[in-house]
Each structure stands twice: as C-alpha cells, then as structure tokens.
Amino acid sequence: MGSRVRGADQPELELFPRARLPRFDNPATDNERLLTYQARWLEDGDEGARASLWELALVVATRCCRSVFWKRRLRPGREVVEDCAMEAVLYLMGRYSSPVTYTRAQDGRQVRFRDVYGWNYCVMRDYVSALAQAVRHAVDYRTKADRLVEFVPAEAFDLITGGWYENDGVP
C-alpha cells in the first residue's frame, strides 16, 4: 500500500467552464470590432485594445445619441451630443468594474457571476445594442439632485443659492 491519494490521477472537474468571449479574425462591422476589442482586453489583458474599445465605443455612442435625439425631434448642439455619448460609454464601461453580481447556477444555488464567467460584466452578443441601451439611460436618467432642481421654483432656488432680487435694495 502506498500513499496514493484517491482520485489524484483523474482530471479536475470544472463545474462552470469559463466562457470564451466572441472574437473575429477579420471584423467587418463595428459590433464585431467592439466584441473583438473586448475579448482582447478582458482575456488577454491588452491595454491597447481597451483604448481602441473606448474610442470606437465613443464613435458608435455618438451615432446612437444623434439617432435618439432625432427620433425625439430634439436638435441639441454638438457639445450636448458628445456629453451624452461620453456618459453612455462611461456607464457601460463602468459596469466592467461593478461589484460582483449573483446568478443562478444549474443546480439552483446562487453563485457569483465572476465564478461563472470570470468577469463582473461582459457583452456576449451585441455590443451596439448595449451601447444604445446605455445612451437611452444617459438621456433619460435623472438623479435626485436633478429632480430637486426641477421641483424647486427658480425664484426660491435663487434665494437658496444666495441670489439677489431687484427689489432687495442691494446693487
């Protein structure tokens, strides 16, 4: 009898194999380019791919912002469109560093998303749709401070912030 450990010669069983992100050898569309940059960044750790992902995402988000504003019959300036696109990309890219979320495993128990896929967040199919959803979030989302400013009348807001009225007698 030796000191052999039972089952040591068997390969390790992976309950949740790490999913492979989609990559394309010759990306033809913006979506394929974005997915390839994401895979190179998350799987290979390529910081150049992260920068390329950021730049291309800004271009696509700008197009989505113009489309959303056009459908709503709004004609904002270039700065407003660029700010909206920047907020959308920050919202989407910020989800990569979000806290770990939980998902249901095959046997019904909760496991961390990172344990299943290896990342907190990733886009598996359509990156352009994720950007379009982030643009809608950037256009429609209002913080509590924004709601407070919309609720308080302008005269009261001037009084709160220290503004002067004409009839106060102070020049």
Side-chain angles (χ1 to χ4, degrees), residues 30-47:
D30 287 338
N31 187 47
E32 292 177 358
R33 285 185 199 96
L34 288 165
L35 288 172
T36 303
Y37 290 146
Q38 174 190 251
R40 284 180 32 210
W41 173 42
L42 290 178
E43 290 182 345
D44 304 338
D46 184 7
E47 288 298 320

Side-chain angles (χ1 to χ4, degrees), residues 30-130:
D30 287 338
N31 187 47
E32 292 177 358
R33 285 185 199 96
L34 288 165
L35 288 172
T36 303
Y37 290 146
Q38 174 190 251
R40 284 180 32 210
W41 173 42
L42 290 178
E43 290 182 345
D44 304 338
D46 184 7
E47 288 298 320
R50 180 177 186 241
S52 299
L53 176 69
W54 177 263
E55 291 171 4
L56 186 57
L58 273 176
V59 171
V60 173
T62 304
R63 280 190 234 138
C64 290
C65 285
R66 286 190 193 121
S67 174
V68 167
F69 287 135
W70 181 264
K71 287 178 185 175
R72 294 180 183 195
R73 298 179 190 262
L74 300 172
R75 304 296 180 264
R78 185 175 55 90
E79 294 85 14
V80 174
V81 173
E82 290 175 356
D83 287 344
C84 177
M86 180 69 75
E87 287 179 22
V89 174
L90 283 173
Y91 172 72
L92 184 62
M93 299 281 285
R95 294 178 73 181
Y96 287 108
S97 60
S98 64
V100 177
T101 55
Y102 286 89
T103 184
R104 291 278 177 199
Q106 293 171 352
D107 59 355
R109 63 184 173 86
Q110 280 194 342
V111 294
R112 293 184 310 164
F113 188 77
R114 180 177 283 168
D115 291 340
V116 178
Y117 293 105
W119 309 284
N120 286 342
Y121 177 81
C122 58
V123 180
M124 294 297 284
R125 288 190 182 168
D126 198 357
Y127 208 98
V128 175
S129 293

